[in-house]
Amino acid sequence: MASWGRRSSGMVHHIKALSKVELRGKAGEMKGGWWRYPLQPGVASALVPRSWPCVNTMASLFLVQRFKSSLPQKQVEDDDDDDQDLDFPGGKVACTSEMKFISGSYDKRIPCYRVLGDDGELIKDGSDFEKVNKELAVKMYRDMVCLQIMDTFLYEAQRQGRISFYMTSFGEEAATISSAAALTKDDIILPQYREQGVLLWRGFTLQEIVNQCFGNKDDGGKGRQMPVHYGSSKHNFVTVSSPIATQLPQAAGMAYSLKMDKKDACVVAFIGDGGTSEGDFHAGLNFAAVMEAPVIFVCRNNGWAISTPTSDQFRSDGVVVKGQAYGIPSIRVDGTDALAVYSAIRAARNMAINEQRPVLVESLAYRVGHHSTSDDSTKYRSLSEIEHWKTGRDPLLKAIQVAEGTEKPPLTELFTDVYDLPPSNLVEQEKLLRQTVNKYPHDFPSDVSLH
């Protein structure tokens, strides 16, 4: 028993040294066979059986000072009816004689934070967003374009049988590139599998990405991983892991280590909307909230978990509302709005580090491409739906779609702007062309008029 007590004292010593938390072991009062130990002001006292050895040490062992930001909000106003209040662990709760269930949903959906309209202009002057200089804006745009082109080539390479697998980021370029732009190189990234844009932003070269996909001798992972499972310790990018959501509890633990070391950095963990149905999502958020870990959980809600739409994935208002259940501040942002994503992640990072707490960000960005090269999304969604999001909500320049949708000039323009008065041979050619088009209309484009 004495040795057990010495081990307990040793444990307390190590906890005090690691967490820098003041552990108290003051004598308490005896009530009903239990010792009651007073804790820090504003924190409930601890109850420890008097039969336990070294009760002072054991009581101290479980005393962890919590930041005020995560303590339960005051739920009862000071009044003369304290006898009707329930003094329960975690905070005093008001009692009521009215039986009332909490609604399972809000009357209105949580709004989506946006800065830019569909036309690329500010929605309104004085919008609440982080200003970016020209150099940063150009780099963000350049990397988004590079990501889309890279995805196109590697997707085609898989279709040609040159690599075995690939996943694109079509439609979600702004969500990853702008997130990366808002972070620092010291922030640790735990990706899901569609965050290659973050690596591009941090300096991971196109050659390194392609080497990984081909699994050659120059691949940093030595060909041990399947394509798109990138990783780089140099860029603080933890290697992609196929099992869904396992990175979230890991992110909470990593963030807590940053907290203990007093690092001016945070952890950023990415997850898809389908991953929020995994137990690790809830475990990760709860663990991070309780331990007040500086971690940003970024959910890329792209509308589909492979072939499962969000309407079948959960009954809640998306993902953003899930954070409140764990006491985590949350925000929903337009994932195709580069400035909105940049501003939201920037603010989330400041909150995570300065307030030492987790933050949940839900990014809404439709998945334009197939889930992967193993998927044919036309089997479960219409081409018109894909085209709508591709042409109307692409975060990149829409010049091709605009030009393609603009009508062609009439055929008569073939004979203008050369002569002030067309010579007889051109007049004859124009007449012959009209006759031919009228005679064989199906041999000519239907969107080209004669007039």
Side-chain angles (χ1 to χ4, degrees):
M1 186 64 71
S3 63
W4 190 97
R6 285 195 297 272
R7 289 196 297 271
S8 300
S9 300
M11 290 170 65
V12 173
H13 173 75
H14 287 301
I15 289 179
K16 290 171 65 177
L18 288 173
S19 61
K20 309 300 183 184
V21 172
E22 179 185 1
L23 301 182
R24 294 188 175 182
K26 294 182 178 179
E29 56 180 327
M30 179 69 179
K31 286 190 176 182
W34 291 74
W35 284 100
R36 179 179 295 275
Y37 286 87
L39 309 188
Q40 304 280 357
V43 181
S45 56
L47 294 177
V48 181
R50 66 172 178 174
S51 59
W52 283 10
C54 305
V55 286
N56 284 0
T57 301
M58 287 299 296
S60 300
L61 185 61
F62 291 98
L63 305 187
V64 180
Q65 176 68 35
R66 302 180 63 195
F67 283 80
K68 294 181 179 179
S69 62
S70 68
L71 290 174
Q73 296 181 356
K74 185 177 181 180
Q75 303 179 50
V76 178
E77 298 294 335
D78 294 331
D79 52 33
D80 298 331
D81 199 20
D82 287 346
D83 291 340
Q84 301 303 317
D85 300 337
L86 182 62
D87 191 3
F88 199 77
K92 188 177 290 187
V93 182
C95 295
T96 176
S97 59
E98 178 186 4
M99 184 173 66
K100 184 177 181 181
F101 290 87
I102 298 174
S103 174
S105 61
Y106 295 98
D107 294 334
K108 295 182 179 180
R109 297 199 67 184
I110 301 298
C112 182
Y113 169 60
R114 294 181 70 184
V115 175
L116 302 175
D118 292 341
D119 57 1
E121 300 295 330
L122 291 176
I123 293 178
K124 65 178 182 179
D125 294 334
S127 298
D128 182 18
F129 71 98
E130 285 276 344
K131 307 296 190 297
V132 297
N133 57 39
K134 182 178 180 180
E135 181 182 2
L136 180 60
V138 169
K139 176 172 169 51
M140 290 168 66
Y141 183 77
R142 184 176 63 243
D143 281 9
M144 284 193 289
V145 173
C146 178
L147 175 58
Q148 193 173 92
I149 295 174
M150 180 192 77
D151 278 349
T152 300
F153 275 91
L154 288 173
Y155 181 86
E156 294 300 327
Q158 193 282 332
R159 286 297 187 243
Q160 296 165 6
R162 300 163 73 180
I163 58 177
S164 61
F165 181 79
Y166 194 70
M167 304 184 80
T168 66
S169 300
F170 296 144
E172 303 179 58
E173 295 89 350
T176 54
I177 294 295
S178 298
S179 293
L183 303 171
T184 72
K185 61 181 179 61
D186 295 323
D187 298 325
I188 302 173
I189 306 296
L190 281 88
Q192 186 180 18
Y193 42 57
R194 223 179 289 274
E195 287 75 41
Q196 53 264 47
V198 178
L199 273 176
L200 281 177
W201 180 269
R202 293 193 166 191
F204 201 72
T205 67
L206 287 172
Q207 189 62 63
E208 289 176 305
I209 287 178
V210 176
N211 286 341
Q212 196 285 323
C213 289
F214 278 82
N216 60 32
K217 68 179 183 62
D218 292 328
D219 168 27
K222 300 182 179 180
R224 300 189 182 106
Q225 291 274 12
M226 64 186 292
V228 308
H229 285 53
Y230 314 101
S232 174
S233 58
K234 174 183 176 181
H235 300 93
N236 271 336
F237 192 94
V238 179
T239 303
V240 173
S241 178
S242 288
I244 302 299
T246 56
Q247 70 273 20
L248 301 190
Q250 298 167 4
M254 286 186 177
Y256 189 63
S257 70
L258 294 179
K259 178 190 185 82
M260 294 175 65
D261 293 338
K262 301 186 184 303
K263 297 288 187 180
D264 185 25
C266 68
V267 173
V268 182
F270 289 87
I271 187 70
D273 48 279
T276 64
S277 293
E278 293 286 343
D280 279 342
F281 171 82
H282 303 278
L285 264 65
N286 189 55
F287 183 52
V290 172
M291 303 307 293
E292 295 177 323
V295 54
I296 305 173
F297 297 105
V298 181
C299 176
R300 294 178 296 90
N301 184 348
N302 59 27
W304 294 90
I306 308 183
S307 60
T308 304
T310 53
S311 58
D312 292 342
Q313 189 69 233
F314 33 69
R315 284 292 176 266
S316 62
D317 178 13
V319 178
V320 66
V321 296
K322 300 180 186 294
Q324 188 176 24
Y326 296 106
I328 296 177
S330 310
I331 188 172
R332 170 177 285 159
V333 61
D334 183 349
T336 65
D337 185 336
L339 289 181
V341 174
Y342 176 82
S343 301
I345 297 298
R346 188 88 170 172
R349 182 182 186 275
N350 290 336
M351 189 181 301
I353 294 177
N354 296 332
E355 300 180 20
Q356 290 292 289
R357 62 191 306 180
V359 182
L360 173 63
V361 178
E362 179 186 20
S363 165
L364 301 183
Y366 188 84
R367 193 195 79 209
V368 173
H370 304 297
H371 173 73
S372 71
T373 51
S374 302
D375 172 48
D376 179 4
S377 62
T378 63
K379 299 297 184 182
Y380 51 83
R381 58 180 182 174
S382 66
L383 286 173
S384 60
E385 177 183 332
I386 298 172
E387 193 63 23
H388 165 73
W389 289 96
K390 183 178 180 180
T391 58
R393 303 294 300 152
D394 193 320
L396 302 182
L397 187 61
K398 298 185 292 184
I400 294 178
Q401 290 82 10
V402 171
E404 190 175 37
T406 304
E407 63 182 10
K408 301 293 190 296
L411 286 175
T412 53
E413 293 297 333
L414 288 172
F415 307 96
T416 62
D417 301 327
V418 178
Y419 298 97
D420 182 30
L421 293 175
S424 59
N425 64 319
L426 282 183
V427 174
E428 183 65 25
Q429 288 179 28
E430 182 181 353
K431 180 180 178 180
L432 180 61
L433 178 60
R434 288 177 180 275
Q435 292 174 348
T436 304
V437 172
N438 288 328
K439 187 175 181 179
Y440 306 103
H442 297 298
D443 293 338
F444 292 86
S446 59
D447 59 345
V448 179
S449 67
L450 287 170
H451 305 288

